[in-house]
Amino acid sequence: MHHPGPPRFVSTGETVQLAPRDPDPAGRYAWRVADAPPTSDSTVGPESVTEFTPDVPGQYRLGLEAPDGDHLLTVLAFDAAYEGVDVAGGSGEAVRDRDADRAGIDYAAGRLADDGGPPRVELAAEVEDGAVVVRAAATPNPSSSLAAADLAVRFVIDDRDVAAAVAAGRTNPRDAMAVAETETGATLRLPAGSVPDRLRVHAVAVAREPGEDDRVSVADAVSVERADAEGTDPFGASAPDDAFTVTRPNRPPAWTADASVYEVYVRTFADADRGETLAAIEARLPEIAELGVDTLWLTPVLENDGKPHGYNITDFRSIADDLGDRDDYERLVETAHDHGMRVLFDLVLNHTARDHPWFRDANRNPDSPYRDRYEWSESGEPETYFDWELIANLNHANLDVRRYLLDVVDEWAPLVDGFRCDMAWAVPDSLWREIRDRVKATDPEFLLLDETIPYVPRFHEGMFDVHFDATLYFQLRQIGRGHEPADAVIDAVERRAAVGFPDHAGFLQYVENHDETRYRVECGDDAAAAAAAATFTLPGVPMVYAGQEIGQRGRRDAIAWDHAREEIRERYARLSAARDAHPALGPAGDLDRVDYRVAGGGTGERQIAAESDAVHPDDVVAFRREHGSEALVVVLNFAPGEALVAVDADHGRLDVVTGDPCVEADAEGGDRIRVDDVAVVPAE
């Protein structure tokens, strides 16, 4: 089906890309504005892939004439200004439209306008009394003075499902639905007989504070499907409650609640001189599994221009010769599965290498049929980011490019458990939305992980499940350098809600990767131990970059397996085991601040932890994690010296990470938690 996908929620003046799905490059596609607010002058271009910028708030219906018929797409535009908010509060378009040299990327991005950030919304659905009821729970921004009852909720039923219902002779679900406000949001009620075989409902929450611009949430969605479409009355009769199943398509795969990721930089990870690289990686899988991680991210394995990182791809359908062949890759994935590990494929969709056959032809021949498959600057040079000279940006408005990239997705998705999406911010939202629907239709538990720095809350809206948390990464570096207090880790986690991420969004927590200096090189061993513990005890998905667990110092050097520091590996294994054994430490566990005091902590000028054994109060942070009936107190110490920390919470005496007692009495008879890098104790 060429329908362009789910409804879009945008602000006036925000440009969105419109594209037919599953395109036939030889097909004819024509866009039009079928309906718009009376005062709007917005138009669409004549291209098959075009752009639309709403000029006034209100509801728009955009028409697409395609080989398989005519389609309508709803766009809701709000009078909401994002100019005062960092790109972390805006859209992917805002990220891509920054200066071409990408200067000044702020890893700690997420600055909010003075009047706060967007609200949030969560959808749930159930069948009751012969009707499908969708409930929207709206939550004000943490910095807002509004209550939930002050927020407006806008529902939109998916245009694809409206068309399907009408085609099947059912009542138009938009005509049959009833919306009511509640103290915590709103409900949408639809008679069961008006529900098509599939009903997708989307919604946003809108904050309207007096005298300020609207703030619009990340959209959420819920899907209601008929378990058995036969035997139901298409003209409004009720159906039994068990005739429907409900899913929440924007939720990350359930397995990510317990996931931990291990990144492999493929060309320097294993002893490739003893055999082909993929086979050598496969041979080390038992050792990785013993660490307790359960998800393997391999940097690109496709044919490339010879640069060791592999991101300059010359053939998107073939395994690189220096790594092995497709059989080797498939055997590696199968062996990983046998060891209880899922595998992430590094998906590169923004560019090709300049050695790619398309580009070689396009660059030397202005009349090349491949010329329009790339973006070109006025100087005649190919467009790139960061002045990268060996790649060229693809033109995602070209149907041949989109068709090819979708075929690449279809090639590799069946073999793996998810995609780590390289430079996700540089690829149009319309393509990611299509890719998500494409892979989830076959495997709802397929993971989409975006590398977007800084993170973008609206990338969780029908695109990605888990997001690189560069904000936490940056704060951990600042703490290790002595530039920020340790409790900045809590600020970083709280920032997720402040910039608009829903509670169900997932975050990849890391202290280093193949693009960054090793943490211990920059901040020292002691801070590195605490930083790693933070990634395993804060709510998110922890990641270990290969070599991190043995004290590796080179960022992309061959892993020094023969010089592994076993005490570090054992520390990581303990952290992993503790997280697996205690759900409160996982993404679903609540994070709360607690009051704490550091014994003997100086109050003078802040010291850089690596320079002294003295423990400054800013070197230490304590917090509470809770899930269900379990509660834990976590204490992190970034300083070289041992810290004694009093926590204003009743707690046990055994460290669940080591299994050893870690509490002693101070001179006044009070309890102090003794902590080198991390201590985790049960709480009342």
Side-chain angles (χ1 to χ4, degrees):
M1 180 187 240
H2 297 309
H3 192 286
R8 302 296 298 271
F9 301 88
V10 299
S11 62
T12 54
E14 179 183 353
T15 298
V16 295
Q17 186 187 77
L18 306 171
R21 293 192 167 190
D22 202 19
D24 175 2
R28 181 185 179 276
Y29 302 90
W31 289 92
R32 70 185 187 280
V33 178
D35 189 25
T39 59
S40 173
D41 294 319
S42 293
T43 60
V44 291
E47 300 84 5
S48 297
V49 179
T50 189
E51 292 183 337
F52 176 70
T53 306
D55 54 356
V56 298
Q59 178 176 279
Y60 297 78
R61 291 268 165 75
L62 306 180
L64 171 64
E65 182 182 343
D68 65 341
D70 195 64
H71 307 286
L72 290 175
L73 174 70
T74 298
V75 176
L76 282 190
F78 298 88
D79 190 14
Y82 289 98
E83 288 80 5
V85 185
D86 196 290
V87 292
S91 68
E93 285 81 0
V95 178
R96 287 186 288 275
D97 290 345
R98 288 189 294 175
D99 293 342
D101 62 4
R102 312 286 301 140
I105 290 179
D106 183 0
Y107 279 86
R111 295 188 302 275
L112 301 172
D114 293 339
D115 54 351
R120 296 178 293 155
V121 70
E122 299 261 358
L123 296 189
E126 60 184 339
V127 181
E128 58 182 35
D129 300 329
V132 170
V133 181
V134 179
R135 292 183 171 86
T139 306
N141 189 273
S143 64
S144 173
S145 60
L146 296 177
D150 299 322
L151 304 179
V153 173
R154 292 292 303 273
F155 290 105
V156 177
I157 294 177
D158 200 294
D159 298 277
R160 295 167 291 183
D161 303 331
V162 170
V166 173
R170 299 183 186 278
T171 304
N172 185 325
R174 286 180 178 157
D175 295 335
M177 72 181 191
V179 175
E181 294 183 354
T182 69
E183 291 185 359
T184 58
T187 62
L188 179 150
R189 181 178 292 268
L190 190 67
S194 298
V195 177
D197 290 349
R198 183 179 188 184
L199 177 75
R200 286 161 287 194
V201 179
H202 310 259
V204 292
V206 184
R208 297 190 175 108
E209 302 192 53
E212 298 176 355
D213 293 316
D214 290 348
R215 298 290 175 192
V216 182
S217 73
V218 171
D220 197 15
V222 66
S223 178
V224 180
E225 297 187 49
R226 289 185 177 273
D228 183 0
E230 296 181 2
T232 56
D233 183 348
F235 300 103
S238 62
D241 292 355
D242 61 1
F244 300 92
T245 59
V246 176
T247 57
R248 304 168 81 181
N250 287 342
R251 270 53 178 177
W255 59 266
T256 60
D258 301 318
S260 52
V261 176
Y262 188 88
E263 182 197 356
V264 170
Y265 186 73
V266 294
R267 286 176 174 79
T268 58
F269 173 78
D271 307 313
D273 57 341
R274 302 178 187 176
E276 291 185 318
T277 300
L278 293 176
I281 295 172
E282 180 187 356
R284 285 202 176 271
L285 290 181
E287 188 174 345
I288 300 173
E290 289 176 359
L291 193 64
V293 295
D294 57 20
T295 306
L296 195 66
W297 159 26
L298 302 174
T299 57
V301 296
L302 299 180
E303 198 65 70
N304 60 82
D305 63 358
K307 296 300 177 183
H309 53 68
Y311 286 91
N312 304 346
I313 295 174
T314 58
D315 185 348
F316 287 76
R317 310 295 281 272
S318 299
I319 297 296
D321 289 340
D322 63 317
L323 299 181
D325 58 25
R326 188 182 180 108
D327 288 341
D328 293 323
Y329 179 71
E330 293 189 15
R331 188 164 49 250
L332 167 60
V333 173
E334 183 178 352
T335 302
H337 289 166
D338 291 342
H339 284 82
M341 288 186 285
R342 293 177 170 88
V343 177
L344 303 183
F345 181 94
D346 208 323
L347 186 67
V348 182
L349 298 186
N350 172 67
H351 55 265
T352 74
R354 296 197 189 187
D355 285 343
H356 191 284
W358 288 0
F359 184 81
R360 288 203 304 268
D361 190 82
N363 194 41
R364 65 175 174 253
N365 178 13
D367 297 323
S368 167
Y370 303 110
R371 183 81 179 179
D372 192 45
R373 298 188 186 187
Y374 292 93
E375 296 179 341
W376 301 89
S377 66
E378 292 182 0
S379 67
E381 289 295 308
E383 291 282 3
T384 64
Y385 295 105
F386 306 109
D387 295 325
W388 286 332
E389 297 180 349
L390 300 177
I391 64 168
N393 287 354
L394 288 164
N395 175 17
H396 297 99
N398 180 290
L399 290 185
D400 289 291
V401 169
R402 296 179 82 96
R403 176 74 270 157
Y404 181 76
L405 295 180
L406 291 170
D407 291 343
V408 169
V409 167
D410 291 346
E411 176 89 15
W412 298 108
L415 301 180
V416 295
D417 306 284
F419 290 144
R420 179 268 186 186
C421 301
D422 181 62
M423 295 179 66
W425 50 268
V427 176
D429 302 6
S430 61
L431 186 57
W432 286 129
R433 293 175 194 274
E434 180 173 3
I435 289 171
R436 181 183 183 86
D437 283 354
R438 202 174 186 92
V439 297
K440 298 282 188 177
T442 302
D443 179 7
E445 292 291 285
F446 195 91
L447 173 66
L448 289 168
L449 164 67
D450 73 317
E451 182 212 26
T452 298
I453 300 174
Y455 49 33
V456 176
R458 281 171 60 184
F459 274 23
H460 200 80
E461 183 181 306
M463 287 184 275
F464 299 101
D465 301 302
V466 178
H467 315 271
F468 271 52
D469 193 344
T471 300
L472 178 61
Y473 161 83
F474 179 80
Q475 294 294 5
L476 287 170
R477 289 281 171 144
Q478 290 293 82
I479 295 166
R481 295 167 181 144
H483 297 163
E484 293 285 349
D487 65 3
V489 298
I490 304 178
D491 298 337
V493 173
E494 291 178 344
R495 178 64 59 180
R496 300 167 181 172
V499 301
F501 278 105
D503 287 339
H504 56 257
F507 294 89
L508 186 73
Q509 301 181 156
Y510 59 98
V511 300
E512 58 196 43
N513 60 40
H514 67 275
D515 285 327
E516 309 294 349
T517 305
R518 295 282 185 177
Y519 190 101
R520 64 188 344 99
V521 170
E522 189 171 336
C523 305
D525 283 354
D526 300 285
T535 65
F536 279 86
T537 56
L538 289 167
V541 178
M543 188 193 89
V544 176
Y545 176 40
Q548 179 181 331
E549 78 279 18
I550 63 168
Q552 179 85 5
R553 299 181 65 82
R555 182 182 61 169
R556 297 180 180 177
D557 297 348
I559 305 296
W561 297 112
D562 293 338
H563 302 281
R565 296 172 60 183
E566 291 300 324
E567 75 279 8
I568 298 178
R569 193 204 305 269
E570 292 169 3
R571 185 187 304 140
Y572 276 90
R574 288 195 300 269
L575 285 169
S576 182
R579 184 177 178 278
D580 288 343
H582 297 278
L585 296 177
D590 292 333
L591 170 69
D592 295 301
R593 295 176 185 265
V594 296
D595 292 329
Y596 59 95
R597 298 174 303 282
V598 180
T603 57
E605 184 178 352
R606 173 80 171 96
Q607 296 177 336
I608 296 176
E611 292 184 351
S612 169
D613 284 345
V615 179
H616 189 281
D618 283 352
D619 294 328
V620 176
V621 61
F623 50 87
R624 180 185 177 95
R625 301 296 315 280
E626 186 170 353
H627 182 67
S629 61
E630 181 183 51
L632 302 168
V633 169
V634 179
V635 186
L636 301 173
N637 173 26
F638 288 80
E642 183 181 83
L644 293 173
V645 183
V647 177
D648 287 346
D650 293 333
H651 58 77
R653 309 186 69 82
L654 289 181
D655 182 353
V656 303
V657 177
T658 64
D660 298 327
C662 65
V663 176
E664 60 186 60
D666 60 19
E668 289 76 34
D671 284 341
R672 297 273 181 175
I673 298 174
R674 185 178 65 254
V675 53
D676 288 325
D677 48 275
V678 60
V680 181
V681 294
E684 298 296 329

